Amino acid sequence: MYCTRNVSDSVVWVGASDRRLALFENLFPISRGVAYNSYLILDEKTVLMDTVDSSVTRQFLENIYHTLNGRKLDYLVVNHMEPDHCANIEELMIRFPGLKIVGNAKTFSFINQFYDMDLEGRTVTVKEGDTLSLGAHTLHFFFAPMVHWPEVMVTYEESEQILFSADAFGSFGALNGNLFNDEVNFDRDWLSDARRYYCNIVGKYGPQVQAALKKLSALTIRTICPLHGPVWRSELNYLLDKYNLWSTYTPEDKGVVIFYASMYGDTENAANILAAGLAEGGVKEIAMYDVSSTHVSVLIAEAFRCSHLVFAAPTYNNGIYPAMLNFLHDMAALNMQNRTVGLLENGTWGPVCAKQMRQLLEGMKGMEILEPVVTVKSALKENGMEQLDALKDSLLASLSK
Ligand code: FEO
């Protein structure tokens, strides 16, 4: 049975949610599921904006047939060629023999890499700024390369001022009936997943996101229809402001996150004492994460959120404890920058972890590493408190700037 929502009188959401998938991209835990959005525009011509993942094909097809109500499908716009959105192109080409696929040169090159479809006479290749008239509606195509794949484009519908934004402005999370941002408590229920989605999937490409935001700023946009998560029809500046912060690697919050690794509880103990000292010094809402038991995508999102980051870890195999090393490598891969950092190492003999963490962090742009770097030999003792207090004072002084 179909399950659709109207975005407007002539634009219908025909997507679906998957609450069974454990790992998005076989990588990111999605305890709240994920939505694959697709939108059908009904005019003199009918046009579908992207398809969906193969896991929700059945629901998607029911939605399309119901919405078309006996009409044929004229166009499919492929804004993004990642398989979570393009898994049903061939299915639609078979079911609608007159269907034409709208994409750019790279789109069609990727279709040929992924699939074996006969595209002869079935393609409309668009260039930057090209338009496609559907009747009362007109589509404008704008390229957004490397947000986060090279073929990505966004489509702006002029008469209703709708931006079909591809993955941009999307979020993890299934849609629980409520499609629109004003139907949910976004701050409470969606922001952390939207941040985790952006930072981990698009985070590396901040300059490209900035270029896309600049290009889109020339448009009057009333509604943003992303490929995942809620549709935005109010408070667009809230979302645009978040994207501006994330894509310039600017912290949302002035505060402290402590990321620690601890084999037997001693490094954790030092992290706890540091956190308590910061709290005594007036720091509120301190966040702490055990990097061994917290998925790295959560750690990345928190590093993007917060201004001051403390890394505390044991030395392991004459290097950095593996879970912390993985986190730091992910930060570097995602182009993380512009944070103030405190370091704490542990080592029963030959502690080298802090030196190596410093090297990795200094390889990222705009990282200020506070002094002193704290060294714990096995377990914190009274004679080690002076160094830990000094790091706490450095953090407090930096936070007060
Ligand atoms: Fe949702 Fe980049 O695919």
Side-chain angles (χ1 to χ4, degrees), residues 6-297:
N6 279 14
V7 176
S8 70
D9 287 345
S10 39
V11 180
V12 183
W13 175 82
V14 291
S17 289
D18 185 350
R19 296 179 184 81
R20 294 184 176 192
L21 185 68
L23 298 174
F24 185 78
E25 294 184 359
N26 210 12
L27 186 57
F28 303 110
I30 44 169
S31 59
R32 295 173 59 246
V34 65
Y36 304 106
N37 296 334
S38 171
Y39 307 89
L40 188 49
I41 305 175
L42 301 169
D43 201 326
E44 290 169 23
K45 299 288 186 185
T46 58
V47 57
L48 185 70
M49 308 304 295
D50 294 289
T51 81
V52 295
D53 188 80
S54 58
S55 61
V56 293
T57 295
R58 185 178 170 203
Q59 181 69 68
F60 172 63
L61 292 173
E62 292 204 44
N63 293 348
I64 288 177
Y65 278 114
H66 167 74
T67 306
L68 285 172
N69 193 22
R71 296 184 63 184
K72 62 188 173 63
L73 184 59
D74 295 307
Y75 295 110
L76 164 64
V77 174
V78 179
N79 285 306
H80 183 22
M81 259 307 294
E82 194 158 5
D84 56 330
H85 308 295
C86 64
N88 289 279
I89 296 175
E90 188 168 26
E91 184 73 33
L92 293 175
M93 287 176 69
I94 292 167
R95 288 169 181 264
F96 299 98
L99 176 66
K100 296 224 165 161
I101 312 299
V102 181
N104 56 57
K106 279 200 176 72
T107 314
F108 294 115
S109 150
F110 283 5
I111 286 185
N112 287 324
Q113 285 177 219
F114 274 109
Y115 306 113
D116 296 309
M117 303 176 197
D118 182 6
L119 294 170
E120 187 63 35
R122 307 286 302 268
T123 61
V124 177
T125 304
V126 296
K127 298 188 293 301
E128 170 78 15
D130 278 359
T131 60
L132 177 66
S133 174
L134 311 174
H137 294 77
T138 303
L139 302 180
H140 297 248
F141 303 101
F142 299 101
F143 294 3
M146 296 318 299
V147 180
H148 59 132
W149 277 32
E151 87 301 350
V152 170
M153 59 183 193
V154 299
T155 302
Y156 178 70
E157 198 294 303
E158 178 186 315
S159 68
E160 301 197 51
Q161 300 175 325
I162 299 175
L163 179 72
F164 297 95
S165 62
D167 273 341
F169 308 116
S171 176
F172 295 132
L175 292 165
N176 302 332
N178 296 126
L179 175 63
F180 299 99
N181 69 300
D182 54 27
E183 295 178 335
V184 301
N185 186 330
F186 193 85
D187 260 343
R188 189 190 66 193
D189 297 333
W190 284 87
L191 177 59
S192 63
D193 260 343
R195 183 190 298 112
R196 190 165 65 94
Y197 171 86
Y198 172 88
C199 300
N200 286 278
I201 291 176
V202 190
K204 178 179 178 64
Y205 303 106
Q208 290 85 348
V209 172
Q210 279 290 301
L213 289 174
K214 194 173 170 194
K215 194 185 284 189
L216 298 178
S217 67
L219 304 172
T220 302
I221 300 170
R222 271 173 41 197
T223 307
I224 296 176
C225 291
L227 289 175
H228 303 283
V231 168
W232 285 77
R233 63 181 178 187
S234 64
E235 298 181 74
L236 300 193
N237 281 340
Y238 167 97
L239 186 62
L240 291 166
D241 287 349
K242 293 289 184 202
Y243 262 65
N244 199 38
L245 292 175
W246 295 337
S247 60
T248 54
Y249 307 95
T250 307
E252 288 169 81
D253 298 330
K254 193 174 206 181
V256 179
V257 186
I258 299 174
F259 303 103
Y260 73 87
S262 192
M263 296 164 67
Y264 300 105
D266 292 303
T267 310
E268 181 181 10
N269 171 245
N272 275 325
I273 294 167
L274 176 64
L278 290 168
E280 293 280 351
V283 182
K284 294 184 177 169
E285 297 174 10
I286 299 163
M288 284 186 74
Y289 295 93
D290 180 342
V291 300
S292 296
S293 60
T294 309
H295 193 267
V296 69
S297 65

Side-chain angles (χ1 to χ4, degrees), residues 317-393:
N317 287 335
N318 204 29
I320 303 169
Y321 186 79
M324 184 63 84
L325 180 62
N326 180 53
F327 174 34
L328 289 165
H329 278 160
D330 217 14
M331 283 177 61
L334 289 164
N335 211 5
M336 187 73 214
Q337 43 193 280
N338 303 334
R339 294 296 185 272
T340 305
V341 169
L343 293 175
L344 186 154
E345 68 179 348
N346 198 342
T348 297
W349 73 100
V352 295
C353 181
K355 184 179 169 198
Q356 295 187 21
M357 289 197 291
R358 178 193 282 272
Q359 281 170 351
L360 287 174
L361 288 157
E362 285 178 345
M364 305 174 205
K365 281 187 201 159
M367 293 296 198
E368 182 193 356
I369 298 179
L370 297 175
E371 299 295 341
V373 169
V374 176
T375 296
V376 174
K377 288 281 193 77
S378 306
L380 190 64
K381 299 287 168 59
E382 201 58 51
N383 61 7
M385 281 304 295
E386 193 178 333
Q387 216 183 20
L388 195 64
D389 271 341
L391 175 60
K392 176 201 71 180
D393 291 341

